[in-house]
Amino acid sequence: MSVIVNLDRVDPFATHLPDGGKRHAEPPDGTWLVTLADLVMVADILRPPAEFYAYACTRGAIAKASGPQVFVEADALAAWLDHRIQPVQPAPQEIVFLATGNEALNDYYTHVAAPGYPAPAPPASGVLPEVLYALDLVHRERPQHWSDLAIAALAVPPDDWRSVRTALRAARSATGTRRERKRARRAADGIRLSPRLTVYVRPADDESPTPCPWDRTCS
């Protein structure tokens, strides 16, 4: 992952420098060129390591593909949080722009504390805390798998985690309904969220082995 941090704001030029202006050893996956203030903003919103890593990789890939063109980093971050913005390869003579839309970020950072006006919650990726915790465990126990798993998990759009959230509720319910128990059994066999990611939801005392073939599919 290649990141170049500037003190000056150069957002309009960053998309045109897929290698960050490097003359030698061009990174194969592109370079994220970012101003220090925006880097602090991203790190403040994306505090879990997996979130920050996946976003930085996406921004490098966007620069490599030359699209969409990003003029304000907050717009790119908001688009990634909302629907996992992906790089776009423009056709010849074509320019692809990123639409603006960072109202939630603006509201969060410009809020003025006052009685009766509680501070808004920080914008979030929508990934379940249990999944982020599991990625932290992978980082400690199987670091060789962490990079691919982090990218695969953070590529899942926020709404697509609904089935895992439901399965977690069913797994926690000791006296759940028949439907909940059935749902928990299915979740133990794996919930396939994408061709690159399957999530297994099991009780804490379940010691059965978890399938982990080398296709980025793991619990």
Side-chain angles (χ1 to χ4, degrees):
M1 181 177 64
S2 175
V3 181
I4 293 178
V5 183
N6 281 353
L7 295 178
D8 298 317
R9 187 170 296 280
V10 293
D11 302 52
F13 307 103
T15 307
H16 298 285
L17 294 171
D19 56 0
K22 293 183 177 181
R23 297 185 178 181
H24 304 288
E26 178 182 344
D29 297 322
T31 294
W32 179 27
L33 186 61
V34 59
T35 185
L36 179 59
D38 285 342
L39 181 66
V40 171
M41 174 192 66
V42 173
D44 181 46
I45 297 297
L46 305 180
R47 298 191 177 189
E51 291 185 343
F52 182 89
Y53 175 76
Y55 178 78
C57 289
T58 299
R59 291 293 284 113
I62 287 173
K64 188 72 174 179
S66 298
Q69 292 194 19
V70 177
F71 288 94
V72 179
E73 190 66 41
D75 288 338
L77 178 57
W80 186 85
L81 291 171
D82 291 342
H83 53 80
R84 302 297 188 266
I85 180 180
Q86 293 297 312
V88 176
Q89 186 74 54
Q93 309 301 320
E94 181 185 36
I95 300 176
V96 179
F97 292 102
L98 176 65
T100 59
N102 56 36
E103 290 82 5
L105 282 167
N106 284 338
D107 292 343
Y108 176 67
Y109 282 112
T110 60
H111 173 77
V112 177
Y117 294 91
S125 69
V127 179
L128 302 178
E130 293 86 352
V131 174
L132 295 172
Y133 176 73
L135 287 170
D136 287 343
L137 289 180
V138 172
H139 190 268
R140 292 198 299 269
E141 300 175 2
R142 301 200 309 271
Q144 70 275 17
H145 296 160
W146 182 80
S147 173
D148 286 334
L149 279 172
I151 291 175
L154 271 299
V156 177
D159 290 344
D160 290 0
W161 288 104
R162 187 180 298 110
S163 58
V164 178
R165 184 180 294 107
T166 302
L168 284 169
R169 284 199 302 266
R172 294 191 187 104
S173 177
T175 58
T177 65
R178 181 178 180 183
R179 175 180 295 181
E180 288 175 330
R181 293 195 298 270
K182 185 177 180 180
R183 185 180 289 122
R185 287 194 298 270
R186 287 202 303 266
D189 294 331
I191 301 173
R192 192 170 181 82
L193 296 176
S194 76
R196 301 173 59 190
L197 184 71
T198 299
V199 174
Y200 298 87
V201 179
R202 292 176 178 170
D205 57 355
D206 187 343
E207 298 181 356
S208 58
T210 298
C212 192
W214 183 236
D215 62 352
R216 305 192 182 104
T217 301
C218 195
S219 66

